[in-house]
Amino acid sequence: MPTDLSKTRRLELILRQIDSLPTLPVVATRLLSLTASDESNARQVTDLIMGDQSLTAKILSLCRQADRGVRTDVMTIDKAVVLLGFTEVRNAVLSIKIFETFDPHESRKEEKPDSFDRVDFWRHSLAVGIAAELIAAAHGSPADLPPAEAFVAGLLHDIGKVALDHVLPKSFARVIELTDLNQGNIAEFERRIIGLDHHTAGKRIAEQWQLPHRLQDCIWLHGSSYESLPRLDHRRLIGLVGLADLIVRQQHLGYSGNFQIKQTPRELAQKLALDPDRIERVAQRLHEEVEKRARALGLEDRPSRDLYLQSIEQANQVLGRLNSALERRSRGLSKQSQVLDAIGAFHAAAQPGRSMLDVMNLVVSNAGTALGEGFYALLQQSEQEGQPWFIAQYGTQGQPLRSQYIEPPPLAPDLTRLGEGEPVSMNLTQILPWIADYLLEAPDLREVKLLPLSCGWGTAAVLLHNQTQLPPWPQLSALLSTWGSAIAAAGQHDGARRMGEELAEANRALAEAQDKLLHTESMARLGEMAAGAAHEMNNPLAVISGRSQLLSISLPPGTKEQKAAQTIFEQAHRLSDLITSLRMFADPPRADPKPTDIGALLQETIKRVRKEQGANDKPVNLQIKTKLPSVSLDASQIQSAITELIENGLQASPRTGVHVTVRVEPVERHLIVQVNDDGVGMDGHTLAHAMDPFFSNKTAGRRVGMGLPRAQQLAAAHGGWIELRSKVGEGTTASLFLPLDEVDFETADTTAA
């Protein structure tokens, strides 16, 4: 199993890769800035759009597709703004530019069907944005719920999923596979497989894009319950995004990966002080609005990008000519002016809040300008002695190539204490043989030198380079101190940011633990009541049972009086069984595990149930597709639990019968026994209380509702649990999860379907 340290390293690398994803396009960034100001106007937006040929063409195309009763073609952006409205044009521009950043058609490749379909994802995101916008507008556009901002928040709420798919496509495909298989919440499987969910990933990319904090919090916290949200000024905006997401998921618009519906839109709307009737009217027109907007934005067909590519080519030519002129001018400047210009440029680019890897990239880019193109790498020692070091390597143009954690060399020097002075040779640090295996891009390791990047407490990192001519040390040391201080500040910021994320995760875990504690306390109180009831009632029941049995024997058989006495005896015996069942909560059962052939146990269990149900009832079928391991368990207890699940399935009036399957889950190392029926199914209320003692949705005369709680107790005695999934009219699936130890897992066949 991976250690906590290895998990931490992997998470850090994932977060570093997310921080290096493409930035938000300049047009979208400028548009957000313009519309955030009270002094902005439509003229500024139209000028911004007209500067982008591809964007201009799409906005005019949007006008032609819009149903506004206009018969003449719209040929200018000014008329487009009048026709569509300022807000709709703004949202269309943002949608187009964000879609282009992560091409929604990129995922249409011939791979296995569980890969991430970005077209469906963007359709879901667009639907959430439209729903949030319509709800806000339907309530008079309150100050804390501006429709335009609600649209952007809804559009970007799940952007972390695209980031995870972009960085770890294979792992994310596995997440989608497990999510679809278990019909669960994709965030839970993201945390299991990858180590973090799309909420955190989306927060990181929103920070990188420098989106407003209100949007960052909507992306980060929209999946939390409204009651658990902090008391923020924009708390209701976060709740609105959650409400819009809930409505869209209920209507199955696009792909969200969250199949869990824990509350109705009406319930959440009441918590947000919104009118449920208006929200229902919004939901009714949502499909039409999404189809219209998706077609206009090009989600249905890959748009032509010739004009966009042509404008990029022209911009690159101009940029190339400017770079050539700047290069010629830079050759004529002194080294001192180069350093001063580099420091100024670095300060302008190194804005507060950037991640440490982002700052490292800026350092190397700045070094290429100040020192010249060549080989560059950054080496950073861990703050804890003996822990892995971090190394990042770059190409000759300053582009990031690879970054990884590496084990420190034997007798490694303390890099944080490298003194200031002339650059030193790597040979003097005795790490050349060790680091040679990692510096694959270095043209000649004998020419590689070290430049310590100092900060207030020592050396933040070491810059590796192969430059032969450097500026005079007084000017160079100022540049190195600037880089070192920025890296040290970014490291502290990363630590504080990770702490905030860990606190949020701890709060989520605490809420779950409190729910479990409340349930445990309820069961404990029930157990105490059961123990007292058993003590007080057993003796009177024994007298009633014995006397009624004697009375039944003494009376003539078949008489009314004899039948009444027999009924008294049977009901007293039934009440005694109930008390025995209640005692299970006062004294939970303890398993006596022994190696057991689970396949044989299932066959014996089904054979017994078939014998008890008779020949005319619905069949019980067993399917075993994998090689099952010999599991250490208490056979009688597990047999009782499975029997209860099968009998519940038979009582649900199945149309074709009850089907029992068993398989091994390799990720979580569980043996899963599933009991499926296609009977009447359960409604939400029944499903929520099915595990409660005494609960039953059957009419009077039913069995005492202790079967499923008893089965849950027996599973818990083995460290397992039971999950129920059901739909009214479609049937119920009951799953028994039993953990496998290392020996059991190694004997299982995890390759079969």
Side-chain angles (χ1 to χ4, degrees):
M1 295 290 290
T3 64
D4 291 340
L5 180 58
S6 64
K7 289 181 179 178
T8 301
R9 295 180 198 161
R10 184 169 184 269
L11 283 179
E12 186 62 29
L13 284 177
I14 293 172
L15 292 174
R16 288 177 186 269
Q17 292 181 67
I18 290 174
D19 289 341
S20 64
L21 285 174
T23 57
L24 195 64
V26 175
V27 172
T29 305
R30 176 62 178 155
L31 186 61
L32 281 174
S33 175
L34 281 176
T35 53
S37 172
D38 295 336
E39 299 178 358
S40 62
N41 53 54
R43 179 72 263 171
Q44 293 174 303
V45 174
T46 56
D47 290 343
L48 183 65
I49 295 173
M50 288 189 296
D52 188 318
Q53 297 178 3
S54 175
L55 190 57
T56 299
K58 289 184 178 180
I59 293 299
L60 294 179
S61 175
L62 184 65
C63 290
R64 289 192 290 272
Q65 298 185 43
D67 185 13
R68 295 291 192 275
V70 179
R71 296 181 180 179
T72 59
D73 288 341
V74 177
M75 302 300 294
T76 66
I77 294 298
D78 292 333
K79 291 184 178 180
V81 173
V82 173
L83 174 64
L84 297 175
F86 180 82
T87 299
E88 187 166 343
V89 170
R90 169 190 184 273
N91 292 342
V93 172
L94 287 174
S95 303
I96 292 169
K97 284 302 177 183
I98 292 170
F99 291 163
E100 289 177 353
T101 302
F102 295 105
D103 186 358
H105 300 274
E106 180 182 320
S107 66
R108 286 189 173 177
K109 44 197 175 183
E110 295 181 0
E111 295 184 354
K112 56 183 181 179
D114 51 22
S115 59
F116 188 44
D117 188 338
R118 291 193 187 175
V119 174
D120 257 1
F121 163 77
W122 281 119
R123 186 175 292 108
H124 166 79
S125 299
L126 181 63
V128 173
I130 294 173
E133 179 186 39
L134 293 177
I135 292 172
H139 288 81
S141 304
D144 62 336
L145 298 177
E149 190 169 347
F151 172 82
V152 178
L155 179 69
L156 296 179
H157 77 289
D158 272 349
I159 192 69
K161 294 175 184 174
V162 185
L164 291 177
D165 178 60
H166 192 88
V167 172
L168 298 169
K170 292 184 180 179
S171 297
F172 197 67
R174 177 62 173 161
V175 167
I176 293 176
E177 179 184 2
L178 291 176
T179 302
D180 294 343
L181 177 63
N182 294 276
Q183 295 291 286
N185 186 347
I186 192 171
E188 297 176 2
F189 291 98
E190 288 168 345
R191 291 191 288 270
R192 292 184 190 179
I193 304 301
I194 298 177
L196 77 163
D197 57 28
H198 64 274
H199 300 286
T200 301
K203 172 179 174 289
R204 295 296 283 261
I205 197 171
E207 291 174 348
Q208 179 196 355
W209 287 359
Q210 300 181 28
L211 297 179
H213 287 292
R214 293 164 60 88
L215 294 182
Q216 293 182 24
D217 288 343
C218 288
I219 294 171
W220 185 22
L221 301 174
H222 73 272
S224 304
S225 63
Y226 188 69
E227 296 82 359
S228 67
L229 292 176
R231 299 292 177 178
L232 301 169
D233 294 339
H234 49 278
R235 183 171 185 251
R236 209 156 69 118
L237 179 62
I238 301 173
L240 174 62
V241 174
L243 174 61
D245 178 70
L246 179 62
I247 294 172
V248 171
R249 286 192 287 117
Q250 274 198 335
Q251 298 199 15
H252 305 285
L253 279 167
Y255 180 81
S256 74
N258 186 0
F259 298 92
Q260 295 182 354
I261 305 294
K262 296 184 177 180
Q263 58 185 334
T264 65
R266 178 173 288 271
E267 293 171 343
L268 182 53
Q270 292 172 347
K271 296 176 183 178
L272 294 170
L274 298 175
D275 185 355
D277 294 331
R278 296 184 185 179
I279 291 174
E280 287 184 1
R281 290 193 291 271
V282 167
Q284 291 172 359
R285 53 185 285 214
L286 187 57
H287 279 82
E288 179 182 354
E289 292 293 332
V290 171
E291 181 181 0
K292 182 192 306 179
R293 198 85 63 94
R295 185 170 56 250
L297 295 176
L299 272 183
E300 302 300 332
D301 299 296
R302 177 179 287 275
S304 172
R305 306 180 69 174
D306 292 341
L307 291 176
Y308 181 70
L309 293 176
Q310 183 180 357
S311 64
I312 291 179
E313 181 180 358
Q314 293 173 350
N316 285 336
Q317 291 175 357
V318 174
L319 182 60
R321 288 192 294 268
L322 290 175
N323 285 336
S324 298
L326 289 174
E327 184 179 356
R328 289 191 300 270
R329 183 181 300 174
S330 65
R331 295 194 189 105
L333 296 176
S334 66
K335 289 293 184 181
Q336 182 176 0
S337 63
Q338 285 182 336
V339 171
L340 293 176
D341 290 344
I343 292 177
F346 182 79
H347 279 299
Q351 300 173 357
R354 287 184 177 271
S355 69
M356 187 164 60
L357 183 60
D358 198 6
V359 172
M360 286 183 170
N361 294 342
L362 287 175
V363 166
V364 172
S365 176
N366 197 239
T369 302
L371 309 181
E373 295 181 356
F375 165 77
Y376 288 102
L378 277 168
L379 184 64
Q380 186 181 47
Q381 180 176 323
S382 173
E383 296 181 0
Q384 300 179 359
E385 184 177 356
Q387 296 302 313
W389 294 0
F390 179 76
I391 185 169
Q393 300 179 65
Y394 300 83
T396 56
Q397 303 297 322
Q399 70 274 22
L401 296 179
R402 66 181 61 84
S403 58
Q404 63 187 118
Y405 283 98
I406 57 179
E407 294 298 326
L411 303 176
D414 188 353
L415 299 185
T416 63
R417 296 184 179 180
L418 287 178
E420 293 186 358
E422 295 294 332
V424 295
S425 168
M426 288 186 59
N427 291 313
L428 299 180
T429 65
Q430 300 179 352
I431 61 175
L432 178 58
W434 159 75
I435 206 171
D437 293 337
Y438 302 102
L439 301 181
L440 303 179
E441 303 301 321
D444 188 347
L445 289 174
R446 294 172 297 180
E447 298 178 358
V448 175
K449 301 177 182 65
L450 299 177
L451 280 176
L453 307 185
S454 60
C455 60
W457 48 262
T459 300
V462 176
L463 180 67
L464 286 66
H465 68 96
N466 65 344
Q467 298 297 319
T468 57
Q469 294 182 355
L470 295 174
W473 182 252
Q475 289 80 30
L476 180 61
S477 62
L479 184 59
L480 299 182
S481 298
T482 300
W483 294 340
S485 298
I487 291 176
Q492 293 179 349
H493 176 78
D494 281 358
R497 181 168 54 187
R498 286 193 299 272
M499 183 177 296
E501 293 166 358
E502 291 172 359
L503 286 175
E505 182 64 28
N507 286 336
R508 185 184 294 113
L510 178 61
E512 294 176 355
Q514 289 174 339
D515 291 341
K516 292 180 180 178
L517 179 60
L518 179 62
H519 179 74
T520 301
E521 290 176 349
S522 300
M523 293 298 100
R525 288 193 293 270
L526 178 61
E528 294 174 0
M529 181 198 71
H535 178 75
E536 297 294 335
M537 299 172 62
N538 271 337
N539 288 338
L541 279 176
V543 174
I544 295 173
S545 178
R547 296 298 175 86
S548 61
Q549 188 175 20
L550 291 175
L551 183 61
S552 175
I553 295 174
S554 63
L555 292 172
T559 62
K560 182 177 180 181
E561 292 78 5
Q562 191 269 343
K563 291 181 179 178
Q566 183 64 28
T567 300
I568 294 173
F569 170 75
E570 292 173 353
Q571 294 303 314
H573 184 70
R574 180 186 178 197
L575 186 56
S576 178
D577 289 342
L578 173 60
I579 294 174
T580 301
S581 298
L582 281 173
R583 290 179 64 89
M584 181 182 298
F585 294 95
D587 185 15
R590 292 174 176 80
D592 182 15
K594 296 179 181 178
T596 303
D597 185 342
I598 189 66
L601 179 65
L602 288 172
Q603 293 174 351
E604 174 63 26
T605 303
I606 293 176
K607 182 178 179 181
R608 179 182 299 180
V609 173
R610 287 171 177 166
K611 182 177 179 180
E612 293 177 356
Q613 69 168 332
N616 296 325
D617 290 336
K618 297 295 183 181
V620 181
N621 302 313
L622 173 64
Q623 293 182 351
I624 301 177
K625 297 182 179 180
T626 63
K627 176 184 176 183
L628 299 177
S630 176
V631 186
S632 296
L633 49 80
D634 190 317
S636 62
Q637 291 185 359
I638 296 302
Q639 189 174 56
S640 298
I642 296 175
T643 298
E644 182 61 39
L645 299 182
I646 295 175
E647 290 180 349
N648 271 272
L650 291 171
Q651 293 170 11
S653 303
R655 295 186 292 273
T656 61
V658 175
H659 305 278
V660 182
T661 59
V662 59
R663 61 186 174 86
V664 173
E665 170 51 52
V667 176
E668 298 295 331
R669 298 192 174 187
H670 284 129
L671 181 75
I672 304 177
V673 179
Q674 286 189 330
V675 179
N676 299 274
D677 69 73
D678 53 358
V680 296
M682 307 182 198
D683 57 24
H685 178 73
T686 303
L687 190 61
H689 296 279
M691 293 296 180
D692 295 346
F694 302 111
F695 176 81
S696 177
N697 64 346
K698 298 179 181 178
T699 56
R702 57 174 172 78
R703 296 193 313 163
V704 177
M706 294 294 292
L708 286 176
R710 183 191 299 115
Q712 186 73 287
Q713 287 285 92
L714 294 174
H718 291 74
W721 68 92
I722 294 174
E723 290 183 358
L724 298 176
R725 294 202 309 268
S726 184
K727 289 186 178 180
V728 176
E730 297 183 12
T732 301
T733 298
S735 302
L736 170 63
F737 293 81
L738 295 174
L740 297 175
D741 58 29
E742 191 70 26
V743 176
D744 293 340
F745 183 78
E746 290 177 355
T747 61
D749 179 8
T750 60
T751 61

